[in-house]
Amino acid sequence: LWQEFLEMITTIQCHSHPHFKPDLPSPQKGPRPPYNNHTICSHLEPTPDEALEDRALLDAIAWPKPPAPTSLNQTSDPVHSLFTILPSKGGRERRVGDQLEALVQMQDFQGRPKHYGGDFLVARLHSPELGAGVAGTVVDHLNGSYSALFPLLWEGPAQVTITMVHSSEAVAVLQRLREQRSDRFFFRSLFRSGKLSETSVCNMCLPHNRPQEPLCNYTDLHTGEPWYCLKPKRLSCDTRINHQRGGNTNDLVTHKEALLFQSLVNIKVVVHASGPDRIDVLPKKIDDQELENRSIEPGPVQYNPSGYYYKGSWRSFDGTPVRQFDAKSITQCLTGKVINMYGDSTMRQWFEYLRAFVPEFNLRSTSWTGPLMAVDSQHNILLKYRCHNVPISVPTIIASELRYVANELDRLPGGPNTVVALSLWAHFTPFPVEVYIRRMRHIRRALERLLARGPGTLVVIRSANLRALDKELSLNHSDWFSLQLDRVLRNMFMGLAVVFVDAWEMTLAHHSPHNLHPPPDVIKNMINLVLTQVCPAKKS
Ligand SMILES: *[C@@H]1O[C@H](CO)[C@@H](O)[C@H](O)[C@H]1NC(C)=O
Ligand SMILES: *[C@@H]1O[C@H](CO)[C@@H](O)[C@H](O)[C@H]1NC(C)=O
Ligand SMILES: *[C@@H]1O[C@H](CO)[C@@H](O)[C@H](O)[C@H]1NC(C)=O
Ligand SMILES: *[C@@H]1O[C@H](CO)[C@@H](O)[C@H](O)[C@H]1NC(C)=O
Ligand SMILES: *[C@@H]1O[C@H](CO)[C@@H](O)[C@H](O)[C@H]1NC(C)=O
Ligand SMILES: *[C@@H]1O[C@H](CO)[C@@H](O)[C@H](O)[C@H]1NC(C)=O
């Protein structure tokens, strides 16, 4: 496997850039894996238009790979690496509205500078005193150095934190796992009829190594989303009772590769500053001449954070000042509304937050997979949550409750009193990106139909967020996978009239430790953002 890995990383060209300018697709190139031979999903050939979009999306998330095989000694070591806050242009004072740049030089475990890019770094500018924070943009110079760029948005202290999530060598392992080991995650179903019961293995695309074995085909007739189980020996396919997390394979990485995933060594470790790591920001000077001079300074790249925290509250850059909602104004805002929430447990957090303000109607569901419902008949409020379909990875869910979000959306009439909120990402990280693209494509089509059918429907899409990682989690749920899916999501929904909640930046900019389920403080800010869209401030 190590040999395979070395071959893989040496054969792939290294000029691709991790920052996402979608290239124009080239029509002559065909689709890429996993439209390949080793799965029974090879029949899912995309149409030519879909293949073009796939290609553009995959190109947009291309990530540079290490050029040569290495030993751990030669891989990126956050402890040896350093960053420097660059002096401002002309040594001027730093003011609100300026840009701050920190230059990161990555080094290996023997303290030698790295000469190629691909490390996964995240950057944050923050001030605990002011409850302020903003996500930085990291630019990979592909020579071992990186620039972290931040807008200066508040007056007062601001501190830079740079974190190496994974080395470029570790990312190459993740990339291999994603493309070649989508079998590393599998599922089971219980089949039962009378006194007979059997459990069988299920997945989106079962490996074709046992071609003689009969399958149960649960491919969805509306969307074409594939799902298969090995046919139980004595029971028929229509006796499927539930869907369960099945476990995972263990021979994923070699001993050498495992060294690239060590907590406190090379997973989410902070890179230190060679000098000061904080600056003091002065207020904006109201001086036309100066402002004019500043505005012509060429910035190195375009970056647009979607917002930032100040005094603990998220301020969005989309032009709408975020309103703060309490119990009374939440009820007021939701009066007459139906809020339909779909997705993984990161969307269920929204339901749980809101239901604290709405009496719950227990829909005989004891499981967190739902469906969940809360009703306030006095104010005519209906909150609903339903988890997304396979590959949802849960202890168990009743087979009849497995629904594709696109199909659920097709059942909504829509209209000005309907809110739809979606968050699907966490369960897709072990799978090839194409699986996610296909799912999002079905959802996008359903949203287009919904918006056409029910004008005024408010659609909110919540992005992926950062989470706590160790070795085991990294191999199937790394933030690197999430980041890639998140880029795909943004690209795919860019042209649609939807509200985007940037959970990625809201968790990166926040002071709390990364967590799959962000803390109540972050959820509250997300909900305020959503409710601001549901109930915009009245213009006086
Ligand atoms: C896939 O199958 C086709 C026909 O069986 C074969 O020509 C091709 O080389 C295979 N591709 C891969 C990547 O194995
Ligand atoms: C890595 O570095 C250590 C300490 O400098 C050295 O003992 C070891 O031989 C090196 N290993 C490799 C594979 O270069
Ligand atoms: C790496 O590239 C950047 C951008 O081109 C450049 O500013 C920097 O000097 C380079 N660093 C090294 C060590 O070559
Ligand atoms: C499963 O069913 C779908 C839809 O009927 C069909 O297109 C697909 O070819 C089937 N898969 C297999 C392996 O037969
Ligand atoms: C991720 O994969 C590893 C390696 O196969 C496994 O040990 C771990 O339990 C998996 N984590 C989850 C959450 O499934
Ligand atoms: C702005 O630029 C002009 C022309 O370069 C210069 O004369 C002037 O002093 C600058 N003003 C400030 C406030 O820096």
Side-chain angles (χ1 to χ4, degrees), residues 271-285:
V271 172
H272 288 289
S274 61
D277 64 355
R278 56 171 66 219
I279 58 162
D280 203 44
V281 186
L282 299 177
K284 206 169 198 149
K285 216 183 223 167

Side-chain angles (χ1 to χ4, degrees), residues 157-221:
Q159 180 183 345
V160 173
T161 301
I162 311 275
T163 304
M164 187 188 89
V165 183
H166 295 302
S167 64
S168 55
E169 294 82 8
V171 171
V173 173
L174 298 179
Q175 203 151 348
R176 173 179 68 80
L177 291 177
R178 186 182 64 187
E179 279 149 25
Q180 299 174 13
R181 296 301 304 270
S182 52
D183 61 329
R184 72 190 186 282
F185 230 73
F186 61 90
F187 303 87
R188 291 180 204 284
S189 274
L190 172 70
F191 294 78
R192 194 171 58 213
S193 177
K195 285 188 183 135
L196 276 182
S197 69
E198 280 181 65
T199 301
S200 143
V201 169
C202 309
N203 217 331
M204 192 165 301
C205 305
L206 290 167
H208 217 14
N209 54 1
R210 289 175 290 192
Q212 305 315 327
E213 234 165 321
L215 296 172
C216 292
N217 183 349
Y218 298 108
T219 298
D220 181 63
L221 293 179

